[in-house]
Amino acid sequence: MLASRLLVATLLVAAALLLKPLTAFAHHGWSSYDAEKPMTVEAVIEDVEFGNPHGMLMVSHDGRQWHVILAPPSRMQARGATANIVAKGKTVKVYGYPRRDGAAEIRAEWIEVDGRRFELR
Amino acid sequence: MFALLQAIQASAYAAYVRDSLLIYPAANIAHVVAVMVFFAAVAAMDLRLMRVIRGTPAPLVIARLRPVAIGALVMIAATGAVLFVPEAVSIGRNWAFLLKLVAIALALGNIAANDWALRRTGEKSVTVQMTAGLSLMLWLSVAALGRAIAYV
């Protein structure tokens, strides 16, 4: 039947489109960040927000103010990265990927505070 | 419009959703699950009207499944509002979201057209079958645009 053939064809195309980037997704996340240029920033936390859909902290690096995109609050909590640990004024080490468009924003893969590393993905 | 979005985002409720560990992910999960239920009901009705599925009379299929679709749609709208509120300003000017609203309006208008044709021309008319097919395409577009919000 035409409808079921169309459905199968659609699903195959969708699967083909999905499978290729899927491995990249699992490790490197969103396409607007450049996983080919990972960067590590060590700086003082100037501001931090634990909000949905994901947390965020602000640091200065190379004369620019960077937004560091964290995980959703529920995951931050689950990994132990609570608000009293990831706090304003503390030194943080961030490893992540910068935006492709050059905006001062990093999607953090992990952060280190008080000598503890928190994996965020 | 911007002031309204800003007021929504600055509201106490927005702060509550932003800061809660459970509400946001729960709304996110319920939104997706309700979408599945909604589309299952819509697809069964549309495929019946397109005569891909036959047997059970179309009016009976619609009578059984329309309440399910309406219930799921209410759930989708309610949970969608929870997801919208904490980021009202950025989502309010996200082109995927705006296009999604347009697609929803078209899909709802299409239901009205389908219903009208069903009553005026009978269930075997070309208009009924075409609007039923269009319904599937429009609702799938709504789903695709919804997922695109996070990536544009």
Side-chain angles (χ1 to χ4, degrees):
Chain A
M1 198 155 36
L2 181 64
S4 53
R5 269 188 213 156
L6 265 177
L7 182 66
V8 170
T10 310
L11 289 178
L12 284 177
V13 170
L17 285 174
L18 280 175
L19 277 177
K20 213 176 123 201
L22 204 60
T23 44
F25 256 112
H27 293 285
H28 309 301
W30 314 325
S31 52
S32 46
Y33 299 90
D34 192 350
E36 305 295 315
K37 295 177 186 151
M39 55 191 286
T40 310
V41 172
E42 200 161 356
V44 173
I45 300 174
E46 290 169 7
D47 202 2
V48 58
E49 272 170 34
F50 278 81
N52 282 299
H54 48 67
M56 198 195 70
L57 55 83
M58 213 114 86
V59 293
S60 289
H61 173 67
D62 273 352
R64 292 213 284 173
Q65 229 186 9
W66 292 74
H67 285 229
V68 178
I69 305 298
L70 307 172
S74 49
R75 191 190 294 160
M76 299 286 289
Q77 173 102 336
R79 305 274 162 93
T82 50
N84 58 326
I85 293 172
V86 185
K88 199 171 163 173
K90 287 201 186 181
T91 300
V92 66
K93 191 170 174 184
V94 175
Y95 172 85
Y97 310 124
R99 276 191 76 99
R100 287 179 197 279
D101 64 8
E105 188 177 295
I106 303 170
R107 178 183 189 266
E109 287 291 304
W110 54 256
I111 58 171
E112 249 175 41
V113 186
D114 293 344
R116 280 177 70 189
R117 181 176 294 189
F118 302 100
E119 296 286 346
L120 299 183
R121 306 300 159 191
Chain B
M1 195 64 202
F2 181 71
L4 176 68
L5 292 171
Q6 225 165 16
I8 291 171
Q9 186 166 323
S11 68
Y13 183 71
Y16 170 71
V17 174
R18 232 183 339 263
D19 296 341
S20 79
L21 289 181
L22 276 177
I23 302 285
Y24 188 92
N28 213 158
I29 291 165
H31 195 69
V32 174
V33 172
V35 165
M36 299 290 291
V37 173
F38 176 76
F39 190 74
V42 165
M45 289 188 279
D46 286 340
L47 291 172
R48 177 63 189 86
L49 289 175
M50 292 166 77
R51 305 171 67 73
V52 173
I53 303 170
R54 297 180 207 207
T56 314
L60 185 62
V61 173
I62 294 172
R64 292 256 170 90
L65 293 179
R66 185 167 280 178
V68 176
I70 291 172
L73 194 58
V74 169
M75 182 77 167
I76 293 169
T79 52
V82 174
L83 301 174
F84 175 80
V85 159
E87 296 185 288
V89 173
S90 61
I91 296 179
R93 58 178 175 217
N94 180 298
W95 65 258
F97 177 74
L98 297 173
L99 221 54
K100 178 184 174 179
L101 293 186
V102 172
I104 291 170
L106 288 175
L108 292 175
N110 182 62
I111 293 175
N114 177 269
D115 220 44
W116 179 84
L118 199 55
R119 274 181 281 116
R120 284 294 293 269
T121 61
E123 65 177 76
K124 286 185 183 169
S125 81
V126 179
T127 317
V128 167
Q129 297 192 23
M130 281 187 37
T131 46
L134 194 57
S135 164
L136 289 178
M137 285 192 270
L138 283 170
W139 287 118
L140 288 176
S141 310
V142 170
L145 288 165
R147 195 68 282 252
I149 294 168
Y151 301 98
V152 300

